[in-house]
Amino acid sequence: MSDPASGPVDALATMNQLLEQTIPRAHQMGVTFVELRPGYVRAEVPFEGNGNHFGVVYAGVIFTLAEVLGGALHYATFDVSTHYPLVRSLNIEFLAPGKGALSASATIAEAEIERIRAAAVNGKVPFELVAEVVGEDGTLVARTRGDYQIRPYGT
Amino acid sequence: MSDPASGPVDALATMNQLLEQTIPRAHQMGVTFVELRPGYVRAEVPFEGNGNHFGVVYAGVIFTLAEVLGGALHYATFDVSTHYPLVRSLNIEFLAPGKGALSASATIAEAEIERIRAAAVNGKVPFELVAEVVGEDGTLVARTRGDYQIRPYGT
């Protein structure tokens, strides 16, 4: 098809297939990428199957929803033929109960993308990624701050 | 049975049943409590089904293995008829690849238990819990530092 939207749609479908293959547990939770472009990613997770005894989404599911954004952003933004992403540490704040389906998004600013691309030529590049997890009504449920790296293959 | 071990064994079995009922996703990963007494808990998770594309245990599984320790410690240490536990924030450092089955443990020192018990009479009590996740050969795979609270029911 020559639909102008076919590029992003294909990237999303590919990323969701990749998630199923590479992190089966995240796929099993129902984590799905819904928006993906260089520097921006958003994923969703349903409530069903992911609740706890408080009737809210379990902390480990919220962590996973936010954590997988790093790999998807790498895929959409950097050169996957030469570098892979890695999470070194991550801080997660639980700010409000996660009622119902949740959505998480993360952004890397254009200047930061350029910095990382330039530095990646010489090896490992650390970067910080902040993700926000919101409920269907926009309530800020959690915020994560992760220390990621992109690394050349073989390192 | 009058086996002197029946007390701890029963507490463990109860805690594992509770995990299945309260956090089905953690149970689904195969997270199992293997040691539990006031001030100390240890849980394990198998590799099978929990790996990622790097052939190591996925970060979200490691987070979950460490995070559930807080609730179990609460169950084994504090008064579950009056207070419930809550995680406010958690920092996780990924220190080495998690190859094979993993084990996570956490301790609350006796003096800290006494402090929390005394303060809990008056309401919410924050406490920090550090957990270590190790591989079968003792390799330190991850360390978490969580800000938990115990809270009286109704707060």
Side-chain angles (χ1 to χ4, degrees):
Chain A
M1 302 211 306
S2 59
D3 181 340
S6 64
V9 168
D10 286 356
L12 260 187
T14 302
M15 197 63 228
N16 281 311
Q17 283 171 3
L18 272 174
L19 185 69
E20 180 171 2
Q21 291 160 17
T22 58
I23 312 179
R25 283 288 178 226
H27 175 73
Q28 200 170 41
M29 292 173 187
V31 172
T32 306
F33 297 105
V34 291
E35 288 187 69
L36 184 63
R37 58 180 181 268
Y40 182 78
V41 61
R42 189 166 73 82
E44 294 179 345
V45 74
F47 178 79
E48 194 181 359
N50 290 320
N52 67 8
H53 48 306
F54 295 128
V56 299
V57 177
Y58 170 58
V61 173
I62 297 175
F63 172 95
T64 298
L65 177 66
E67 193 284 319
V68 298
L69 300 180
L73 262 181
H74 173 76
Y75 173 85
T77 312
F78 301 115
D79 188 343
V80 294
S81 72
T82 57
H83 289 71
Y84 65 97
L86 195 76
V87 61
R88 300 295 304 279
S89 69
L90 193 145
N91 186 76
I92 182 164
E93 297 171 90
F94 298 100
L95 302 167
K99 299 171 182 170
L102 300 179
S103 167
S105 62
T107 301
I108 308 181
E110 186 58 41
E112 176 71 347
I113 292 172
E114 291 311 317
R115 178 191 74 82
I116 296 168
R117 279 186 182 145
V121 174
N122 299 314
K124 300 177 186 178
V125 185
F127 65 98
E128 186 182 84
L129 191 64
V130 173
E132 292 196 333
V133 180
V134 298
E136 288 171 305
D137 63 355
T139 301
L140 185 60
V141 168
R143 186 186 293 115
T144 65
R145 192 176 295 273
D147 291 320
Y148 287 80
Q149 284 186 351
I150 67 169
R151 294 182 172 189
Y153 282 105
T155 63
Chain B
M1 302 213 303
S2 58
D3 181 340
S6 66
V9 168
D10 285 353
L12 261 186
T14 302
M15 198 60 228
N16 280 309
Q17 283 173 2
L18 273 174
L19 185 68
E20 181 171 3
Q21 292 161 16
T22 58
I23 311 179
R25 282 288 178 226
H27 175 73
Q28 201 170 40
M29 293 173 186
V31 172
T32 306
F33 296 105
V34 291
E35 288 187 68
L36 185 63
R37 57 180 182 268
Y40 181 79
V41 61
R42 189 167 72 83
E44 294 179 345
V45 74
F47 178 78
E48 194 182 0
N50 290 321
N52 67 8
H53 48 306
F54 296 127
V56 299
V57 177
Y58 170 58
V61 173
I62 298 175
F63 172 94
T64 299
L65 177 66
E67 193 284 320
V68 297
L69 300 179
L73 262 181
H74 173 76
Y75 173 85
T77 313
F78 301 115
D79 188 344
V80 294
S81 72
T82 58
H83 290 71
Y84 67 95
L86 196 75
V87 61
R88 299 296 304 280
S89 69
L90 192 144
N91 186 75
I92 182 164
E93 296 170 273
F94 299 100
L95 301 168
K99 299 171 182 171
L102 299 179
S103 168
S105 61
T107 302
I108 308 181
E110 186 59 41
E112 177 71 348
I113 292 172
E114 291 310 317
R115 178 190 74 82
I116 296 168
R117 280 187 182 142
V121 173
N122 300 315
K124 300 177 188 179
V125 184
F127 66 99
E128 185 182 83
L129 191 63
V130 173
E132 291 196 334
V133 179
V134 297
E136 288 172 304
D137 64 355
T139 301
L140 185 60
V141 167
R143 185 186 292 114
T144 65
R145 192 176 294 275
D147 291 320
Y148 287 81
Q149 284 186 352
I150 68 170
R151 294 182 171 189
Y153 282 106
T155 63

